[in-house]
Amino acid sequence: MSGLGLLNSDSKPLPADDEAAANTRQWHLASETEYRFELDPNSSLAIKLVHGQAEIFGAELAEGNTYVFGLECKAAVYTWQGCTIEVTGQPSTEYVSEETPMQVYANLVLALEQMRVRALRAFHGSPPSSEEGPDPDPDPQPPRVLVLGPGNSGKTTLSKMLINYAVRMGQSWNPVLVNVDPGEGGWAAPGAISAATITSPIQTSTPASTFGSAATSAPAHLTSNALLPLAYWYGHAETRRNPLLMDRLIRNLGENIWERWDNDLGGRVAGLIVDTPSSFAASSGPNGDHRHALIKACVDAFRINVILIVGHEKLNVEMQRAYGNRIAVVKIPKSGGVVELDPSYRERARKHQLHNYMYGRIIPPPPGLPPTNVLQGGEQTPDLTLNLAPSSSIVAFGDLTLYRIGEETMAPTSALPIGATRVVSEMQPLLVDPAQPGSGLYNAVLALLAPPNPDESERYDEEMLDLPVVGFLVITTLDIPNKRMTVLAPTQGSLVGRTAIVGSIEWQE
Amino acid sequence: MSLYPQPASPAFGQMAYASQPYSQPMLPQAAYHYPAAVQPVFHVDSNMFRRDYMARLAELTVNSRPIIQNLSMIAQEYSRFAEIVAQCIESHIRRVLPWMKLPAFYLLDAISKNVFDPYARQFTPLVVRLFLDTYEQVDQNTRSKMEEMLLTWRTGAPTGRELFGVVPQVAIERHIWGGEATQSAASSSRHTAGSSSISTAQVLSELEFVLSQKERSVVANPYDKMAQNHVAVLQQLRKLVQAGVSQEELGQILTQLRALAQPASVPPQLTPAPIPTQSYPTQMPYPSPAPPAPFPGPVEQPTYPLPSAYSAPSYNVPKSEPVNLSGLLAPQSLPVQPTPPSVNPPISTLAPMNSITNLYNALLKAGVVGATGTPTGAGASAKVEECRPSDPVRDAIRDHRKAILAQKIKLTSADITRQRSNIVDFLYNRLPSQCKQCGIRFPDGPKGKKHMEDHLDMHFRQNRKAGQAVGRGYSRSWLISMEDWIHDGSVDVKGKGRADGRILSSSAAAAVEAAKREAELQAQYVVVPPGDEAKSISCPICKEPLKSEFNEDDEEWVWRNSVKRDDKIYHATCHAEATASKSTLASRLRNEVSSSRSRSRTPEKQQVRTPPKVLVPLSEESKKSAPSSPSTPVGTKRKADDADGPGTQDSKSDVPPLKKQALSV
Ligand SMILES: [Zn+2]
Ligand SMILES: [Zn+2]
């Protein structure tokens, strides 16, 4: 495919076809079935659509192209009308399933699309035609969907599919995808919550970029690989660690989305999809309290009008009771393809994500396939564009101001009644002195904040809680005697005079 | 399905494609001209290149735009091997079966038009024989495709001139359209009394070409009434010609067609040197020595058209007769195209323009124009339903809405599990055109077609850029500011729509800016001191060697992408990057990440967001306890109080449809 294959041609003979052949087999998929696979940590897989139509989580594959997957990717190639695929590599698990909830998802997609076209019609001020019938709602709103579900229920996959189908309707919809799962991190880094406008289908390739990627200086073939999300830094993977901060950041995100839509009513009619952490659905246990507040924060901030509950009867009842009178609460079956993931997998995925953020990540194709002519995440020349050079620089302690939000060692909130004195310190920025032993800065991931208001009179104490993130940094060495540290940044730029926030996310290459 | 040429669009969509790169605002033209120099990393020898290129050409068996684009891109990047590319393409065309020849010709066409130098001049010596030999061997359908392509070559050079020069152009045209059939309007008119023979086929061919141009304008701008009228009249004219008209009328039609067909960007040719008919103007479209006359045709034939014949209808008597076809085609009496002053004094025996009344009468007879003869009748009286694309965008939206609302699905747990939807219709059947590179689909119809073409061009540009990593390579960008995030949706309104018609994201805008800056940096050079040509110098920043190359314009050796600072020579790109990193991050961000800001931001808005709602008791609490916050305005600047949930919020957002909007429906 790529015209740049030449560049690698200096020495390498074409790989032996035998090797690829031995490693390759074809699958003929009947209509409405899917080929599911799971990969081991160090293997990769290549899938080529030989014939027919196929899609991965709603993103269509182009016939004849070879797509590569890696880093323990678990995914499924679904076909509405049947297809033949060629699979190269050795997955740890692979099988074809005829039991999928795709028909239900399709109905859901169409129901949401109805909301969009009605909202657009109202936006244009066109009256419904006679055959369309009167609008059931005098003020039709586009879908603003909150996806809830327990861990390993496929929330993220569903969110991705809903977005992908929306942008595939051929209507130039540009819906907003919101990720409020700080454990997932979205396009930013774990510890962040973020939102981005999506205009091209999000590809699946590795768990390091589940929702596509934030922009790089390299050209990208799909806008979903060059996203410029708006991100806020929460700093922890678990929502229970500081629910009040979560609450505030969620509302920040929502407010900015609405302000954006005030300027872009055309964009507003595409709506939004919010993917949430599984803790929102954890109905029992010591952390049950904060989740209602956070769900409420989402409903308010994003003006949710559809709540989808993936595979969780009790939560469904709960949400019907709380919101059923004003919001469509819909129960969605869970896909049988969803795999139970152990916590260490999540941990590894976070690590991959940060590596991918800094260095990019090229998945070597399985043995037998040439390194060129494969698509990774839809990109045609991954060897050129997915290989990134971060910047490592030495920074004097005083040059970068570091804060932590809330006390350094905080007892679980559950130990305290909500609203008790503890909450004050939960929201309070505390200066971190790198010279102090035990600062916890070594290998810490920091969020570099946007500059504060240049107008002093506009400033306020907790301003930094409301500043979005411009990038993520990692402290790779801490030289206390000389009062300096080495900071890894995604790209070049002076950090002097800037502010960064530390959380509990760490990363080591 | 062949994506590259839709059967309905002649010259494989190359008209838009070919005319864009030179005026494409997103793509500095300069970027086309120094590709070889920016490849310091890769060492490919010519044999290897030849082998690889031949192998890739072998894949070009069908009309695949992606393959053609990739091959063009390689040609562009390796323009130092232009000769090899030309040889490969020629031998490929000669070797393959007739039905595989056309795609390779499209490649030749694409490379020549888009890269132009040095390719056009590489092909010039061989294009006539190659074209004619191929023409002999292919079927009628392919021939007409080749003729369409040939017509685009008339104005295919960046200057709007003949792509391969006037001599090859005329040589080919004479050969395939016979005798003097390719004469300019002027000369053919001159011959109307005598021996002239303009074939109906030729006129139809040119007519199709102009028609497709006009149809494209309608696609690009559905509100272009003039183009709509043109389309209507041309369609009628086609029927007329097919039905059979006289030689004289054919000549007149041809004249008018050429007037209509000229590109808008033809630079005025200001040298009215009286040229003897036999000689050619010296301005070849490129500064190479004129190639040896490749077509040893009868040189004594003195009626080669003058160059202007291709770009301008060169009558001298414009006021003699108001009723001509261009008047007909432009009922509002707007000039159809700026008519450049003619280069040559047209032949004095030029038939008086009032002979166009014959044509007009013919049109009248055929019922194309109203009997009143008012020019305004032309567009209106043409069969409206046939040619007026009312409003394709609105129609498409309405159509989609109708189909979607016809689905009787309610958003309830029970309903969505009960139904069986026909979602395949919406995801596949209604979007029949698919990008073979990324799988994205497009609807049929003019708008979808346009989106898809722009989309493919985007791939082409991205592919080309991907190979041009400079200095230390690529890196993750900083995220944009909140203001830019909020406002990037409105960039579109300011007229900076992205090529594929979607809203220009800040990242795309930033990429455009970055590409521009990079092109500027790459264009900088330092002259190599005499004697130092062989010396190897490395950039002090990245340690990569600086690449020297011969600058043909100034005839001297230069280091490309270089600047000299304090007696040291750096890569311009490395130096710029290093300098930028010295400045503050903030200014860097301003420069690099957010190119859209100045356009869209309101000045009074600043970085700081209003503090969002926090639970009120909490705010009170934090105010009391925070040591230095007597003036903390928590909650006071908030714009919307959303404590009441969605209901009240929605009323706030129910602003009436704005003047400012991305969707123009
Ligand atoms: Zn594409
Ligand atoms: Zn350098």
Side-chain angles (χ1 to χ4, degrees):
Chain A
M1 273 320 301
S2 136
L4 299 153
L6 269 178
L7 310 178
N8 293 10
S9 61
D10 25 3
S11 59
K12 204 165 284 170
L14 282 174
D17 284 347
D18 310 350
E19 194 180 0
N23 213 3
T24 299
R25 59 248 161 249
Q26 285 203 340
W27 294 78
H28 303 283
L29 307 183
S31 62
E32 300 190 26
T33 64
E34 70 185 16
Y35 164 82
R36 294 174 182 158
F37 66 88
E38 296 170 30
L39 300 184
D40 281 334
N42 292 313
S43 66
S44 66
L45 192 75
I47 296 179
K48 178 168 148 183
L49 174 61
V50 178
H51 174 76
Q53 292 161 346
E55 48 189 57
I56 296 183
F57 301 149
E60 187 176 0
L61 305 184
E63 194 176 294
N65 286 349
T66 303
Y67 295 79
V68 67
F69 307 85
L71 306 181
E72 298 180 70
C73 183
K74 302 166 200 323
V77 179
Y78 180 80
T79 179
W80 284 103
Q81 302 183 98
C83 69
T84 301
I85 55 172
E86 200 171 273
V87 179
T88 306
Q90 297 303 332
S92 60
T93 304
E94 59 176 345
Y95 63 99
V96 171
S97 172
E98 294 168 0
E99 309 262 306
T100 76
M102 287 302 285
Q103 272 297 345
V104 179
Y105 292 1
N107 289 323
L108 176 61
V109 164
L110 292 176
L112 298 180
E113 185 71 3
Q114 290 184 334
M115 296 174 76
R116 286 189 196 98
V117 300
R118 286 204 174 98
L120 184 64
R121 181 174 61 193
F123 166 58
H124 289 150
S126 344
S129 73
S130 52
E131 61 208 283
E132 286 166 10
D135 216 311
D137 184 342
D139 177 26
Q141 292 291 313
R144 295 185 290 268
V145 183
L146 187 70
V147 182
L148 295 177
N152 306 317
S153 62
K155 288 182 303 295
T156 298
T157 300
L158 177 62
S159 305
K160 182 147 111 180
M161 235 184 281
L162 294 178
I163 282 280
N164 283 348
Y165 280 138
V167 300
R168 277 177 63 196
M169 283 290 162
Q171 303 302 303
S172 302
W173 299 130
N174 51 350
V176 172
L177 181 55
V178 183
N179 172 63
V180 295
D181 181 357
E184 181 96 57
W187 315 270
I193 65 170
S194 47
T197 292
I198 308 293
T199 58
S200 74
I202 300 165
Q203 311 288 310
T204 296
S205 173
T206 75
S209 52
T210 311
F211 280 151
S213 305
T216 69
S217 55
H221 281 274
L222 290 160
T223 52
S224 55
N225 289 321
L227 298 169
L228 285 176
L230 180 68
Y232 286 96
W233 180 242
Y234 170 66
H236 317 286
E238 308 292 340
T239 55
R240 67 166 177 271
R241 184 116 179 203
N242 195 341
L244 286 172
L245 181 57
M246 268 297 284
D247 189 295
R248 177 159 180 158
L249 300 180
I250 286 168
R251 290 175 191 276
N252 276 346
L253 261 187
E255 195 183 341
N256 285 301
I257 290 169
W258 280 96
E259 189 164 341
R260 180 190 166 103
W261 281 344
D262 283 347
N263 296 291
D264 178 17
L265 290 183
R268 205 179 86 185
V269 297
L272 56 73
I273 312 283
V274 184
D275 186 24
T276 61
S278 55
S279 62
F280 281 20
S283 56
S284 57
N287 314 307
D289 289 336
H290 81 272
R291 68 191 185 89
H292 280 295
L294 294 182
I295 290 172
K296 173 81 161 57
C298 288
V299 167
D300 292 350
F302 308 117
R303 299 179 212 171
I304 295 299
N305 54 11
V306 178
I307 295 178
L308 303 179
I309 315 285
V310 190
H312 195 299
E313 186 51 44
K314 189 166 170 225
L315 183 65
N316 182 37
V317 172
E318 216 173 62
M319 289 298 119
Q320 291 284 6
R321 202 174 296 141
Y323 297 103
N325 60 339
R326 55 193 176 105
I327 292 176
V329 178
V330 182
K331 198 179 70 175
I332 303 292
K334 168 180 158 175
S335 165
V338 174
V339 185
E340 289 290 324
L341 301 170
D342 54 290
S344 70
Y345 170 86
R346 302 253 185 229
E347 203 45 57
R348 287 194 299 279
R350 267 170 226 149
K351 219 175 150 167
H352 291 318
Q353 199 182 1
L354 277 162
H355 183 100
N356 184 51
Y357 177 77
M358 293 292 183
Y359 293 93
R361 174 77 88 168
I362 300 166
I363 304 297
L369 285 186
T372 54
N373 298 353
V374 294
L375 274 71
Q376 181 184 332
E379 293 302 315
Q380 327 230 344
T381 49
D383 48 333
L384 293 173
T385 56
L386 300 185
N387 192 8
L388 306 179
S391 161
S392 184
S393 56
I394 293 174
V395 176
F397 280 172
D399 284 349
L400 185 61
T401 313
L402 301 176
Y403 285 93
R404 221 179 258 287
I405 308 299
E407 281 181 42
E408 266 170 74
T409 49
M410 208 159 48
T413 313
S414 55
L416 295 157
I418 282 283
T421 49
R422 154 79 15 113
V423 297
V424 177
S425 58
E426 271 184 314
M427 301 294 261
Q428 192 170 341
L430 296 167
L431 202 60
V432 179
D433 181 2
Q436 290 294 317
S439 66
L441 287 177
Y442 178 59
N443 288 335
V445 176
L446 320 177
L448 184 68
L449 297 183
N453 195 327
D455 180 353
E456 295 273 343
S457 66
E458 290 284 313
R459 300 224 181 135
Y460 54 96
D461 267 8
E462 293 175 349
E463 183 180 358
M464 74 178 64
L465 302 183
D466 305 326
L467 294 174
V469 177
V470 295
F472 300 93
L473 313 172
V474 178
I475 297 180
T476 54
T477 64
L478 206 53
D479 178 359
I480 293 177
N482 293 305
K483 292 191 172 306
R484 60 190 193 187
M485 55 196 172
T486 312
V487 177
L488 186 68
T491 183
Q492 299 188 338
S494 167
L495 302 172
V496 175
R498 303 299 298 268
T499 299
I501 311 261
V502 193
S504 59
I505 310 279
E506 294 189 350
W507 181 63
Q508 212 173 352
E509 283 179 43
Chain B
M1 172 189 50
S2 161
L3 293 170
Y4 195 29
Q6 298 299 327
S9 72
F12 64 106
Q14 181 64 289
M15 265 78 67
Y17 181 60
S19 61
Q20 265 170 19
Y22 303 105
S23 57
Q24 196 33 277
M26 295 174 66
L27 198 65
Q29 186 184 341
Y32 275 111
H33 291 303
Y34 35 82
V38 303
Q39 293 288 347
V41 197
F42 313 110
H43 304 286
V44 179
D45 74 37
S46 55
N47 284 332
M48 182 186 300
F49 181 85
R50 185 189 298 273
R51 220 177 327 125
D52 191 286
Y53 206 79
M54 269 325 268
R56 280 162 195 280
L57 261 177
E59 290 169 20
L60 186 58
T61 57
V62 293
N63 235 335
S64 154
R65 186 165 179 150
I67 296 178
I68 289 174
Q69 284 176 334
N70 277 329
L71 286 165
S72 304
M73 189 181 71
I74 297 171
Q76 160 142 29
E77 278 165 10
Y78 292 85
S79 62
R80 65 198 141 111
F81 295 137
E83 201 181 338
I84 297 175
V85 168
Q87 288 164 0
C88 288
I89 292 174
E90 184 186 15
S91 79
H92 174 83
I93 291 176
R94 292 194 179 280
R95 205 162 42 91
V96 297
L97 296 169
W99 55 271
M100 283 162 57
K101 290 179 194 287
L102 186 64
F105 252 105
Y106 286 157
L107 171 64
L108 183 156
D109 175 280
I111 294 175
S112 302
K113 284 172 179 163
N114 291 319
V115 191
F116 191 61
D117 190 60
Y119 283 96
R121 81 180 126 91
Q122 286 293 340
F123 287 118
T124 295
L126 55 88
V127 74
V128 178
R129 273 280 48 108
L130 187 61
F131 192 99
L132 295 176
D133 291 348
T134 305
Y135 192 80
E136 294 295 304
Q137 297 169 35
V138 297
D139 61 18
Q140 193 48 51
N141 187 30
T142 308
R143 281 188 183 181
S144 55
K145 291 252 173 11
M146 290 182 74
E147 289 168 17
E148 284 159 4
M149 179 172 63
L150 181 61
L151 289 170
T152 69
W153 288 357
R154 289 180 170 182
T155 55
T159 55
R161 304 290 307 276
E162 293 83 0
L163 183 57
F164 302 107
V166 67
V167 177
Q169 184 75 33
V170 169
I172 298 172
E173 291 193 13
R174 279 184 62 233
H175 209 88
I176 64 172
W177 284 314
E180 299 168 29
T182 64
Q183 299 325 313
S184 69
S187 51
S188 62
S189 295
R190 179 166 59 124
H191 286 268
T192 43
S195 62
S196 104
S197 63
I198 298 171
S199 72
T200 305
Q202 182 193 356
V203 173
L204 282 175
S205 182
E206 297 208 15
L207 196 151
E208 292 293 347
F209 172 68
V210 179
L211 183 57
S212 72
Q213 271 191 333
K214 297 298 165 192
E215 282 170 344
R216 245 163 229 289
S217 323
V218 174
V219 170
N221 177 9
Y223 306 102
D224 186 342
K225 285 281 185 292
M226 204 197 325
Q228 286 177 19
N229 284 339
H230 287 176
V231 169
V233 172
L234 286 167
Q235 283 169 343
Q236 295 303 323
L237 204 53
R238 178 169 57 189
K239 283 185 191 156
L240 200 68
V241 174
Q242 280 163 345
V245 293
S246 73
Q247 271 299 314
E248 195 181 358
E249 286 160 342
L250 282 178
Q252 291 158 359
I253 293 170
L254 211 50
T255 306
Q256 301 292 350
L257 285 174
R258 287 176 181 173
L260 275 176
Q262 55 180 293
S265 61
V266 175
Q269 296 155 359
L270 296 171
T271 48
I275 310 158
T277 33
Q278 175 78 32
S279 68
Y280 299 108
T282 47
Q283 331 110 276
M284 298 298 285
Y286 31 79
S288 71
F295 182 68
V299 186
E300 64 277 8
Q301 168 58 267
T303 50
Y304 279 151
L306 293 164
S308 64
Y310 286 114
S311 54
S314 31
Y315 349 108
N316 258 2
V317 278
K319 32 185 160 47
S320 65
E321 176 51 69
V323 186
N324 61 18
L325 184 55
S326 51
L328 200 64
L329 292 172
Q332 295 84 19
S333 82
L334 293 164
V336 176
Q337 299 284 347
T339 306
S342 47
V343 174
N344 57 310
I347 299 89
S348 52
T349 56
L350 186 65
M353 264 354 256
N354 60 11
S355 67
I356 199 74
T357 46
N358 294 344
L359 169 64
Y360 184 75
N361 287 336
L363 289 171
L364 194 66
K365 260 184 270 167
V368 175
V369 289
T372 62
T374 51
T376 44
S381 64
K383 303 252 161 49
V384 174
E385 72 281 7
E386 209 180 320
C387 51
R388 236 188 119 244
S390 54
D391 181 347
V393 177
R394 185 184 276 270
D395 289 350
I397 288 176
R398 194 180 299 129
D399 195 44
H400 175 76
R401 180 175 69 225
K402 227 185 253 169
I404 285 287
L405 293 183
Q407 312 294 310
K408 296 301 169 208
I409 295 170
K410 286 202 212 68
L411 188 54
T412 65
S413 308
D415 217 45
I416 61 169
T417 44
R418 240 192 334 254
Q419 306 273 334
R420 274 193 74 80
S421 76
N422 57 343
I423 195 164
V424 168
D425 245 18
F426 294 99
L427 297 177
Y428 295 95
N429 303 344
R430 296 169 70 94
L431 306 167
S433 313
Q434 187 184 21
C435 169
K436 302 255 183 205
Q437 298 195 50
C438 70
I440 291 178
R441 287 175 177 273
F442 299 86
D444 261 350
K447 197 183 171 214
K449 218 163 165 182
K450 171 95 174 72
H451 275 184
M452 172 135 176
E453 271 169 20
D454 292 341
H455 175 88
L456 293 175
D457 288 342
M458 177 279 294
H459 279 312
F460 181 69
R461 287 195 300 273
Q462 299 295 63
N463 273 332
R464 197 166 51 77
K465 270 197 303 206
Q468 295 175 349
V470 288
R472 292 153 32 91
Y474 298 120
S475 57
R476 183 81 55 195
S477 308
W478 299 111
L479 304 184
I480 53 170
S481 75
M482 188 152 31
E483 285 303 318
D484 286 334
W485 192 86
I486 287 168
H487 289 285
D488 88 9
S490 56
V491 175
D492 192 42
V493 179
K494 310 284 177 187
K496 199 167 175 187
R498 218 173 53 191
D500 64 4
R502 292 203 176 108
I503 288 164
L504 178 75
S505 73
S506 286
S507 62
V512 170
E513 291 292 313
K516 253 192 240 158
R517 257 201 334 283
E518 199 178 292
E520 283 162 19
L521 291 171
Q522 298 269 355
Q524 295 184 16
Y525 62 84
V526 172
V527 176
V528 179
D532 280 6
E533 289 87 353
K535 211 158 136 191
S536 164
I537 296 191
S538 295
C539 164
I541 296 174
C542 71
K543 315 295 181 210
E544 295 277 349
L546 293 161
K547 238 194 138 161
S548 62
E549 105 177 13
F550 193 67
N551 181 337
E552 298 195 5
D553 292 341
D554 299 331
E555 303 203 326
E556 59 193 2
W557 285 89
V558 298
W559 285 300
R560 279 278 179 214
N561 176 21
S562 300
V563 288
K564 195 167 180 178
R565 293 284 181 277
D566 303 330
D567 261 19
K568 285 199 190 100
I569 299 171
Y570 300 84
H571 282 130
T573 43
C574 292
H575 190 267
E577 204 168 48
T579 316
S581 66
K582 274 188 219 147
S583 63
T584 68
L585 182 60
S587 75
R588 188 178 155 82
L589 282 171
R590 211 161 30 243
N591 293 334
E592 294 210 352
V593 184
S594 54
S595 60
S596 67
R597 64 167 59 203
S598 59
R599 250 165 260 123
S600 54
R601 91 160 15 151
T602 47
E604 69 276 12
K605 289 206 171 181
Q606 292 298 336
Q607 301 280 5
V608 162
R609 310 293 317 123
T610 57
K613 241 124 300 71
V614 198
L615 299 174
V616 176
L618 175 64
S619 307
E620 299 303 318
E621 195 72 276
S622 66
K623 263 194 202 169
K624 275 181 227 142
S625 59
S628 60
S629 62
S631 63
T632 307
V634 173
T636 56
K637 287 190 59 211
R638 198 187 314 155
K639 303 170 61 166
D641 193 332
D642 54 358
D644 297 329
T648 53
Q649 279 308 305
D650 283 346
S651 61
K652 172 224 164 193
S653 54
D654 269 341
V655 261
L658 305 181
K659 335 78 212 177
K660 175 175 117 177
Q661 59 183 46
L663 290 151
S664 56
V665 184

